[in-house]
Amino acid sequence: MHFSTLISVALAAAPAAVSAAGTLGFALGTKNPDGSCKSQSEYESDMDAIVAASGSTLVRGYAASDCNAAQNILPAAKEKGFKVVLGIWPDVEESFTKDTEAVKEYGTKYEDQVYAITVGSETLYRGNFTGAELLEKIQTVKKIMPNTKVGTADSWNKYADGTADDVIRGKPDILLINAFGYWQGQPIDNATHTYFDDMMQAITHIQSVAGDTDSIEIWNGETGWPTDGGSDYGAASAGTDNAATYYSEGVCGMLAWGVNVFYFEAFDEPWKPHTVGDSGNAADETKWGAMGADRKTKFDLKC
Ligand SMILES: *[C@@H]1O[C@H](CO)[C@@H](O)[C@H](O)[C@H]1NC(C)=O
Ligand SMILES: *[C@@H]1O[C@H](CO)[C@@H](O)[C@H](O)[C@H]1NC(C)=O
């Protein structure tokens, strides 16, 4: 798929005319609402709710050893016919080692349930690694699971501005691009425009550095919008109506465009502590779920 071709197709025709729709998945946390670690059966209930509401059978996590995530989620996925993107948190050596061990032990045991492995989430954005350093970590993990797709996830602008070029040249199997109209402080009526623009910039840059359009599988790794009770960010107002609009226009539009999307996130996470953002304002990150902590949908999740 070449993005500039897709754009002209999308401009020329209704999205419904684009044949190959993207695949939808959800980011899924490792903890119950009270902060305890999820068991296998709790992951199974999560998966039941996700497939019933959206039809999706794919979830992604961030750190395979956190709350014994790989150990508990992979048998649940097998039971429920789901696939999982396992994460390795490489920022510090300790978590890199622990997550890699978890992938080695459980990922290989449940290989059919592992859709892919991401080494790092926004590490270039945070400045933890250079592209070359991150590529080396990706290649280390690839040696452990040579038959599984391995790559990374980062913010759209770190792909667009060249920070990830060494990663791209190394031709990882898969790259996830995070892009949020919300985190660019966009009002809801321009948020989908910004989301598409971000994704387009990142994808066209990746494809031009890769020198082709198909050697690296590309996903939108995260997008989403906080619902009622969440924090505003600039002109981006939290609210369930806005989240529903962003989902139906942005997420469903991106899928119709042929791009794979992970929605951030499946369920509210009320255990999360409030953080103070760059602006000095308190940020509530507990209300990003497409569904509540009770696993009930807040708006229509079918496209
Ligand atoms: C790397 O990432 C961690 C968060 O995972 C952060 O606390 C730390 O400051 C970062 N290190 C550098 C050198 O940026
Ligand atoms: C809308 O989004 C586009 C793409 O990000 C941006 O260039 C433009 O400035 C935005 N418009 C407004 C009014 O913020």
Side-chain angles (χ1 to χ4, degrees):
M1 167 199 67
H2 192 276
F3 214 76
S4 53
T5 314
L6 266 179
I7 290 160
S8 38
V9 169
L11 290 177
V18 179
S19 53
T23 300
L24 173 67
F26 286 84
L28 183 60
T30 58
K31 293 189 169 86
N32 292 307
D34 66 2
S36 61
C37 292
K38 285 179 187 171
S39 64
Q40 179 184 333
S41 74
E42 281 147 354
Y43 281 119
E44 289 181 16
S45 301
D46 285 352
M47 289 171 186
D48 285 341
I50 289 168
V51 70
S54 69
S56 168
T57 55
L58 180 67
V59 291
R60 72 169 289 217
Y62 295 85
S65 68
D66 173 44
C67 274
N68 297 321
Q71 182 180 352
N72 293 328
I73 200 172
L74 290 172
K78 184 169 186 181
E79 193 64 34
K80 295 295 175 183
F82 267 61
K83 288 194 189 266
V84 180
V85 175
L86 292 176
I88 288 177
W89 199 262
D91 304 33
V92 289
E93 206 50 44
E94 192 195 352
S95 60
F96 181 73
T97 305
K98 279 190 180 163
D99 289 343
T100 305
E101 288 299 320
V103 163
K104 216 184 265 179
E105 184 168 357
Y106 302 103
T108 50
K109 185 169 167 195
Y110 292 97
E111 208 173 66
D112 289 349
Q113 272 64 56
V114 182
Y115 183 81
I117 298 167
T118 53
V119 183
S121 173
E122 303 191 343
T123 62
L124 300 177
Y125 179 75
R126 283 194 302 277
N128 279 89
F129 301 118
T130 64
E133 288 165 346
L134 180 56
L135 177 64
E136 206 181 299
K137 302 269 183 198
I138 293 169
Q139 288 168 338
T140 300
V141 174
K142 180 70 182 176
K143 288 197 193 98
I144 297 167
M145 289 193 66
N147 303 321
T148 302
K149 293 170 192 171
V150 182
T152 192
D154 223 300
S155 181
W156 70 276
N157 53 328
K158 295 292 117 185
Y159 293 107
D161 72 6
T163 307
D165 282 4
D166 282 335
V167 175
I168 300 165
R169 284 191 206 98
K171 294 282 176 94
D173 305 306
I174 184 167
L175 289 175
L176 282 67
I177 302 162
N178 297 351
F180 293 81
Y182 172 87
W183 287 120
Q184 276 163 266
Q186 290 293 316
I188 188 62
D189 61 7
N190 198 48
T192 290
H193 179 175
T194 294
Y195 169 46
F196 271 65
D197 194 52
D198 295 350
M199 286 298 297
M200 184 187 67
Q201 287 185 48
I203 292 173
T204 49
H205 188 88
I206 290 169
Q207 293 183 335
S208 83
V209 172
D212 58 51
T213 59
D214 54 7
S215 59
I216 302 173
E217 183 177 314
I218 292 174
W219 285 70
N220 174 207
E222 288 181 2
T223 201
W225 198 277
T227 56
D228 288 350
S231 302
D232 300 341
Y233 188 78
S237 311
T240 304
D241 288 349
N242 285 351
T245 299
Y246 189 76
Y247 191 96
S248 65
E249 290 177 359
V251 173
C252 293
M254 192 62 69
L255 292 167
W257 232 11
V259 179
N260 308 309
V261 177
F262 277 102
Y263 191 76
F264 184 92
E265 57 184 331
F267 305 104
D268 283 347
E269 298 195 78
W271 63 270
K272 277 188 176 176
H274 286 201
T275 53
V276 178
D278 294 342
S279 60
N281 297 327
D284 182 320
E285 300 200 352
T286 68
K287 299 280 180 7
W288 282 76
M291 288 168 267
D294 58 3
R295 302 195 182 96
K296 292 200 174 102
T297 52
K298 300 178 188 175
F299 47 85
D300 185 10
L301 300 181
K302 297 223 165 87
C303 288

